[in-house]
Amino acid sequence: MGLFELSSALVLGGSLNETNNGVSAEASSVQCKLQGTLRPPAFSADGDYIIGGVFSMHLYIVDSRELRFSRAMIFAIEEINNSPELLPGITLGYQIYDSCASVPGTIKVAFQLTNGLDVVFHPSDNCSQSGMVLAIIGDSGSTLSISISRLGLLSLQQYPSFFRTIPSDRFQADALAKLVKHFGWTWIGAVRSDSDYGNNGMASFLDAARKEGICVEYSESFYRAHPRSRVRRVADVIRRSTAVVIVAFLATGEMKLLLEELEKEPSPPRQWIGSETWVTDPQMLRFSFCAGAIGFGIQQSVIPGLREFLLDLPPSKVAASTLLTEFWEDSFNCRLAENLFVLFGHVCDGSEDLQKLQSPYTDTSQLRVTNMVYKAVYALAHAIHSAVCQETNFTTQCEKLTKLESKQILTHLKKVNFSQNGYDVSFDANGDPVATYELVNWQKSETGNLEMVTVGHYDASLPVGQEFRLSSNITWMEGRTRVPVSVCSDSCLPGTRKVLQKGKPSCCYDCLPCPEGEISNQTDSNDCFPCPSEFWPNSERNTCLLKPVEFLSYNDILGIILAAFSVGGACLAIITAAVFFSHRASPIVRANNSELSFLLLFSLTLCFLCSLTFIGAPSDWSCMLRHTAFGITFVLCISCVLGKTIVVLMAFKATLPGSNVMKWFGPPQQRMTVVSFTFIQVLICTIWLVLSPPFPMKNLNTYKEKIILECALGSAIGFWAVLGYIGLLAAFCFILAVLARKLPDNFNEAKLITFSMLIFCAVWITFIPAYVSSPGKLTVAVEIFAMLASSFGLILCIFAPKCFIILFQPEKNTKKNLMNKNES
């Protein structure tokens, strides 16, 4: 707001010919001419040192609040003059002017103060330096104070000399932006006075708001002198807007005009955020639809004795002052008898009582800016005290005849540091005080009237993030207790990301779900980020969960079924071997090479059990074991079948006249054949294990949402070499079995071998595409199924018919029956 500033007139303490203006001392012979007419002071008193004051005590009528400011200045000066400690023996005087709330009037009285009051110049006179002021206190409005401060930029003096007892609007703008951010409002409207106060303050606020990520839907300005249509247009913008929160950096005059316009046609509920000027003005509380307004104000204070001083206006004092006379007549709606121009109204009869007057002048319950005037006077008094007084033998000696220059006061003013009525006073290098504010909230009292309630404090000197101290009893618009929401778009929840809406501010966006495999774990996230390779988003896509590890385990139904068939197959092979062993002397067992039959049953048992190594979590040993055991046991199995097939062929060749082939393929040769074929597979597996063995790995590619724990082949060539060798032996065995299937015999085993090899080859031919295309643990299941299916094919096709005869048709289990030839 309104900055109560110690203005640039501080250094303009001498006439325009003063040495520190850059003009030589000899310039005193220059003739001065009066420009315009003098404006008499509203209040004045002589003294050893004079302090000037500029207040906007008139607009159209007397502003009783500004009148209180000027009277507070007089009170502080009289208090200092009566003080035995501060400036003892020295009297401070004052010259207080009414700027009439206009920039030209303010500048005129500022020049008048800085050049002295004895300005009835004659052509032969030197420019007088009597009545000089050391400093000017004022104005209470920022625009007018800035106009005074700019006098220091006109090259009239050398040193900048602008001090504030109210914090700069820059601090207030920063505080307002942080307040808006604190409550999560990212979509706001902005209204300002079209003046230095409003434009500079709003520019600072918008800059701070932009840094806080706050978007502004609109920013409107107007001035009280603008046409009424301009105010109506701003009101219409507010009514049509979607922003619930409005930041109003307005002077009281403009705010009053705006609220009066909105009162005619109320807008939807709005949360007002106010600057210090209007949000702490008691006269604004009559606008009840602004209940819940919140903003920063100068700290409340107590000035002992001030109220009594303000009420001490005897008729003689009122009559002696034109300004007080006007105030008295306006306040009590009467005319003093001394006023000869009374045309309307009754004559004041002496019954008027200031004690009962409800006016900002008499209201000392909210002393905010008033205290700043009070502190400004004391700051100047301390600066003068430092310049003209000395402490000797526990006494203070002040020299009233000391001629002070403005730069001396400036030097001492920069160093002041004191406490008055519990309030610290000091200035930084820029002439600013520590920025502290009260957070003021407009709340309805029990009587239904609005009142200002302090609900927090702000201290800019505290570390970032600790500036606010808020209470929980804030009342919002329409008496709500919950913080209103003012956003262009609702917050994007975790699991989504923001996508800006084309052509709109950054606070307006759509919320899109994170892509597959990505998450966002913060509200209003701009981007989603992928989970680590072994993690996957949950269904809400707001956190990464460890992917479940999948493998064919004994806990799976599929694993249990396959394990049961595996164990069942092994048991079947053992039972078959037991049946054959118990009937080993019977013709049907002896006729078909019982040694190879037992070896085949043993290898089938291993084939069945081998599939168990494929179930369970892969490890280094299980991966190497499962593939090598599979390759070797199946080659052993096929080698036995191949041996049996060759035996059948050799046996029938041996029946031909002159044939002695059986001696070349007797039992030793049969054993050697099985060992040789098996050794080749052992050699292939050994090379595979040495060069590039299978190993457990986490398959992250087949499924995005889970990990497949499987055995990598290590060397694909090694795996397909093992599988190809098995296929080669099976194909060779199948061909021989087909050739021997029509040989005459009641029990030609070649037919059984043909069917078994047909099943074996069919299974493994279909295995290849199924193996390649099956995902995850199904790959292992397909491999186990192929092993079990081919093993069951062999044991059922070769041994089931024999066991049936042994157990259920023993009459056919005779040598005679086996030797009968089939009729051709």
Side-chain angles (χ1 to χ4, degrees):
M1 108 124 200
L3 311 166
F4 221 102
E5 291 139 334
L6 305 183
S7 70
S8 55
L10 180 62
V11 179
L12 298 175
S15 70
L16 298 184
N17 299 319
E18 194 173 15
T19 304
N20 59 345
N21 298 334
V23 182
S24 65
E26 288 78 8
S28 59
S29 60
V30 176
Q31 302 298 315
C32 297
K33 295 183 179 180
L34 177 63
Q35 299 292 330
T37 59
L38 275 179
R39 178 178 297 178
F43 304 106
S44 63
D46 196 12
D48 300 314
Y49 299 102
I50 306 297
I51 298 176
V54 181
F55 300 95
S56 303
M57 288 179 278
H58 265 96
L59 184 53
Y60 301 107
I61 61 174
V62 175
D63 188 325
S64 54
R65 184 167 176 254
E66 294 281 335
L67 178 60
R68 187 181 73 213
F69 298 161
S70 63
R71 293 276 292 160
M73 177 177 170
I74 297 172
F75 169 75
I77 290 175
E78 291 186 3
E79 192 175 62
I80 292 169
N81 289 339
N82 294 325
S83 171
E85 298 176 355
L86 187 61
L87 293 174
I90 290 181
T91 302
L92 294 180
Y94 53 85
Q95 297 287 347
I96 301 175
Y97 284 84
D98 181 6
S99 68
C100 295
S102 70
V103 172
T106 302
I107 294 177
K108 181 175 182 179
V109 297
F111 271 116
Q112 192 170 314
L113 284 168
T114 57
N115 285 279
L117 296 177
D118 296 335
V119 289
V120 183
F121 302 137
H122 298 284
S124 60
D125 293 336
N126 293 333
C127 294
S128 173
Q129 296 187 14
S130 63
M132 296 297 300
V133 296
L134 294 177
I136 301 175
I137 297 175
D139 192 292
S140 59
S142 288
T143 300
L144 302 181
S145 290
I146 292 171
S147 67
I148 298 176
S149 71
R150 285 174 177 163
L151 296 179
L153 303 177
L154 300 177
S155 300
L156 296 177
Q157 40 83 40
Q158 185 177 358
Y159 303 101
S161 51
F162 189 58
F163 290 78
R164 297 181 177 92
T165 50
I166 289 180
S168 167
D169 284 338
R170 175 173 52 85
F171 294 108
Q172 185 180 185
D174 289 341
L176 286 172
K178 291 177 181 177
L179 179 71
V180 171
K181 181 66 174 179
H182 177 80
F183 289 111
W185 300 319
T186 57
W187 186 240
I188 64 170
V191 184
R192 68 186 186 277
S193 296
D194 192 6
S195 61
D196 285 336
Y197 166 63
N199 292 330
N200 294 339
M202 184 57 73
S204 298
F205 169 77
L206 293 179
D207 183 58
R210 196 174 300 110
K211 295 176 182 177
E212 296 287 352
I214 300 166
C215 298
V216 179
E217 182 181 8
Y218 59 87
S219 180
E220 297 291 332
S221 66
F222 69 96
Y223 191 62
R224 56 178 173 264
H226 287 164
R228 195 75 179 190
S229 59
R230 178 78 172 266
V231 183
R232 285 195 294 269
R233 185 180 67 80
V234 174
D236 288 338
V237 170
I238 293 174
R239 294 186 185 104
R240 295 192 306 266
S241 68
T242 59
V244 176
V245 172
I246 303 174
V247 175
F249 223 105
L250 293 164
T252 301
E254 283 80 51
M255 189 63 185
K256 182 180 178 183
L257 290 175
L258 178 60
L259 294 183
E260 287 174 347
E261 187 64 37
L262 288 172
E263 200 172 29
K264 298 176 183 177
E265 185 182 341
S267 68
R270 294 290 183 255
Q271 177 62 50
W272 291 92
I273 310 298
S275 58
E276 189 274 336
T277 307
W278 67 267
V279 83
T280 57
D281 189 341
Q283 298 181 74
M284 302 298 293
L285 294 174
R286 69 180 181 86
F287 297 101
S288 59
F289 64 91
C290 289
I294 192 170
F296 291 107
I298 305 304
Q299 286 184 307
Q300 292 188 70
S301 57
V302 176
I303 303 177
L306 176 62
R307 178 172 172 79
E308 291 74 14
F309 177 81
L310 294 176
L311 298 178
D312 182 21
L313 285 180
S316 59
K317 185 179 294 187
V318 173
S321 169
T322 304
L323 186 64
L324 290 178
T325 298
E326 185 177 349
F327 162 71
W328 191 275
E329 293 177 344
D330 289 344
S331 299
F332 297 108
N333 195 24
C334 65
R335 295 292 178 265
L336 294 175
E338 291 80 359
N339 192 341
L340 300 180
F341 299 99
V342 174
L343 297 178
F344 303 101
H346 66 278
V347 176
C348 302
D349 57 9
S351 62
E352 298 79 25
D353 187 359
L354 279 178
Q355 295 275 1
K356 300 178 181 179
L357 180 65
Q358 298 295 320
S359 166
Y361 174 80
T362 58
D363 183 8
T364 57
S365 62
Q366 295 280 340
L367 294 180
R368 299 178 187 274
V369 177
T370 305
N371 190 45
M372 300 299 105
V373 181
Y374 184 77
K375 288 164 62 175
V377 174
Y378 266 89
L380 283 172
H382 278 270
I384 297 172
H385 184 95
S386 299
V388 301
C389 300
Q390 292 182 346
E391 304 289 339
T392 57
N393 298 325
F394 304 104
T395 61
T396 303
Q397 298 293 330
C398 298
E399 180 55 60
K400 66 171 62 180
L401 298 179
T402 302
K403 183 177 180 181
L404 292 178
E405 294 185 359
S406 54
K407 60 183 179 181
Q408 291 177 273
I409 300 299
L410 175 64
T411 301
H412 289 286
L413 194 59
K414 291 179 179 179
K415 300 176 182 178
V416 297
N417 191 342
F418 64 94
S419 180
Q420 185 67 28
N421 291 338
Y423 302 101
D424 295 331
V425 181
S426 62
F427 303 101
D428 63 14
N430 297 320
D432 293 321
V434 175
T436 57
Y437 298 98
E438 286 182 350
L439 190 61
V440 177
N441 185 211
W442 287 12
Q443 299 183 5
K444 284 191 176 182
S445 63
E446 295 179 358
T447 62
N449 297 322
L450 287 182
E451 62 181 7
M452 286 181 283
V453 178
T454 299
V455 293
H457 294 84
Y458 177 87
D459 189 341
S461 64
L462 296 177
V464 177
Q466 301 177 22
E467 304 98 332
F468 283 107
R469 286 187 292 117
L470 301 177
S471 66
S472 58
N473 63 334
I474 300 176
T475 299
W476 304 103
M477 60 182 191
E478 296 185 315
R480 302 176 189 175
T481 56
R482 297 184 62 181
V483 179
V485 177
S486 185
V487 294
C488 181
S489 301
D490 290 332
S491 294
C492 289
L493 298 176
T496 62
R497 63 186 177 93
K498 297 196 299 186
V499 177
L500 297 182
Q501 295 177 359
K502 188 175 182 179
K504 292 188 177 181
S506 60
C507 299
C508 301
Y509 47 80
D510 296 317
C511 300
L512 297 183
C514 288
E516 187 180 58
E518 297 185 4
I519 69 162
S520 64
N521 55 8
Q522 294 180 342
T523 302
D524 288 335
S525 177
N526 291 318
D527 296 297
C528 300
F529 55 89
C531 290
S533 58
E534 295 189 10
F535 290 79
W536 191 253
N538 59 352
S539 58
E540 291 80 16
R541 298 186 181 180
N542 57 15
T543 188
C544 290
L545 302 177
L546 192 64
K547 290 180 180 179
V549 178
E550 185 180 85
F551 56 89
L552 188 62
S553 71
Y554 290 103
N555 296 324
D556 294 337
I557 294 178
L558 182 59
I560 293 172
I561 293 173
L562 293 176
F565 274 98
S566 177
V567 173
C571 292
L572 181 61
I574 293 172
I575 292 172
T576 303
V579 171
F580 266 55
F581 184 77
S582 62
H583 297 81
R584 60 186 179 277
S586 64
I588 196 169
V589 175
R590 297 180 63 189
N592 289 287
N593 197 323
S594 60
E595 186 177 340
L596 286 180
S597 295
F598 283 114
L599 186 58
L600 177 57
L601 288 170
F602 173 72
S603 63
L604 284 173
T605 303
L606 295 180
C607 287
F608 282 119
L609 295 177
C610 176
S611 60
L612 295 177
T613 62
F614 286 78
I615 304 175
S619 63
D620 291 331
W621 285 104
S622 67
C623 286
M624 291 188 289
L625 178 62
R626 63 172 58 171
H627 287 98
T628 53
F630 156 71
I632 293 172
T633 55
F634 266 80
V635 164
L636 177 61
C637 181
I638 299 301
S639 298
C640 292
V641 175
L642 182 59
K644 290 174 72 67
T645 306
I646 295 173
V647 167
V648 172
L649 286 172
M650 295 298 104
F652 283 96
K653 291 289 184 180
T655 59
L656 297 177
S659 176
N660 60 350
V661 296
M662 284 305 296
K663 72 177 183 180
W664 300 108
F665 202 73
Q669 287 79 13
Q670 296 171 20
R671 298 188 194 100
M672 184 59 65
T673 299
V674 172
V675 172
S676 299
F677 285 137
T678 305
F679 176 75
I680 293 173
Q681 184 72 306
V682 171
L683 185 61
I684 294 173
C685 290
T686 302
I687 295 173
W688 181 16
L689 293 178
V690 170
L691 296 181
S692 183
F695 58 91
M697 70 165 238
K698 294 178 179 179
N699 184 347
L700 304 174
N701 300 321
T702 303
Y703 295 103
K704 296 179 180 179
E705 71 280 3
K706 58 185 176 182
I707 299 173
I708 304 299
L709 194 59
E710 61 186 15
C711 287
L713 297 177
S715 171
I717 295 175
F719 173 75
W720 290 109
V722 168
L723 205 62
Y725 183 64
I726 295 174
L728 180 64
L729 289 182
F732 183 50
C733 183
F734 177 71
I735 292 171
L736 292 181
V738 169
L739 294 176
R741 74 186 186 284
K742 292 185 178 180
L743 293 177
D745 197 342
N746 262 3
F747 197 82
N748 184 359
E749 198 176 33
K751 296 178 182 180
L752 304 178
I753 295 173
T754 301
F755 283 116
S756 65
M757 286 296 99
L758 187 61
I759 294 173
F760 187 92
C761 292
V763 167
W764 286 101
I765 289 173
T766 56
F767 160 77
I768 294 174
Y771 178 83
V772 172
S773 61
S774 297
K777 65 182 181 181
L778 295 181
T779 303
V780 178
V782 166
E783 194 168 358
I784 295 175
F785 177 79
M787 294 166 60
L788 293 176
S790 56
S791 299
F792 275 109
L794 287 173
I795 195 170
L796 292 177
C797 289
I798 295 176
F799 293 99
K802 297 178 182 180
C803 289
F804 184 78
I805 291 175
I806 292 172
L807 297 175
F808 301 107
Q809 294 179 338
E811 67 277 6
K812 291 184 179 182
N813 189 8
T814 62
K815 187 175 182 180
K816 179 181 178 181
N817 186 60
L818 293 176
M819 296 300 294
N820 286 338
K821 304 289 185 178
N822 289 330
E823 294 181 0
S824 289

